Amino acid sequence: TLTNWAIGNGAFVGRYQQLGKTVHFMTTLTVGSTTSYSGTPYITAPVAPNAADRNIFDASFQTGGTIRGGYAQAVSAGDIRMYPVYADTASLGTWTNVSSSVPYSWSTGMILRITGTYEAA
């Protein structure tokens, strides 16, 4: 589930597989010309994580042929919101929450991917 993103004519694909308490997932958001944002966007995980874990997941941001790295994090124990965060290399590793202008001004065709594995509650 996406919150604070309006997909418009973009696309959002999410898949997951749960084996016992292990959950593997991937999400891909492709920005369309009518995709919009408000506040701090986040993605809700498909299955609630173990409350004792603070999960960090891989994220990538793609524009044209350029791919930049980042991460998504479940911000508190038991929280299932994944906030994508971008590593600002110009600021030597300053991490910044994704917004309508971070890591760049989002436009048609840009892609956000988040993948990971975690233990379910």
Side-chain angles (χ1 to χ4, degrees):
T1 304
L2 293 171
T3 300
N4 295 333
W5 303 75
I7 298 301
N9 64 354
F12 179 68
V13 176
R15 294 184 179 96
Y16 78 97
Q17 179 179 39
Q18 183 172 356
L19 303 167
K21 287 194 167 258
T22 302
V23 178
H24 304 282
F25 73 94
M26 63 76 57
T27 63
T28 302
L29 169 66
T30 303
V31 176
S33 62
T34 60
T35 301
S36 62
Y37 322 88
S38 64
T40 302
Y42 63 88
I43 300 170
T44 303
V47 177
N50 180 332
D53 291 339
R54 294 195 184 255
N55 300 291
I56 296 178
F57 310 109
D58 291 325
S60 66
F61 307 90
Q62 182 175 346
T63 178
T66 302
I67 299 174
R68 297 179 175 163
Y71 73 93
Q73 182 177 21
V75 296
S76 63
D79 195 335
I80 57 173
R81 296 178 179 182
M82 293 180 289
Y83 290 89
V85 178
Y86 166 67
D88 183 356
T89 54
S91 299
L92 299 176
T94 300
W95 293 93
T96 306
N97 284 334
V98 168
S99 70
S100 61
S101 61
V102 174
Y104 29 62
S105 293
W106 293 85
S107 62
T108 303
M110 292 181 173
I111 298 170
L112 165 64
R113 286 188 183 91
I114 301 174
T115 60
T117 300
Y118 62 93
E119 181 183 9

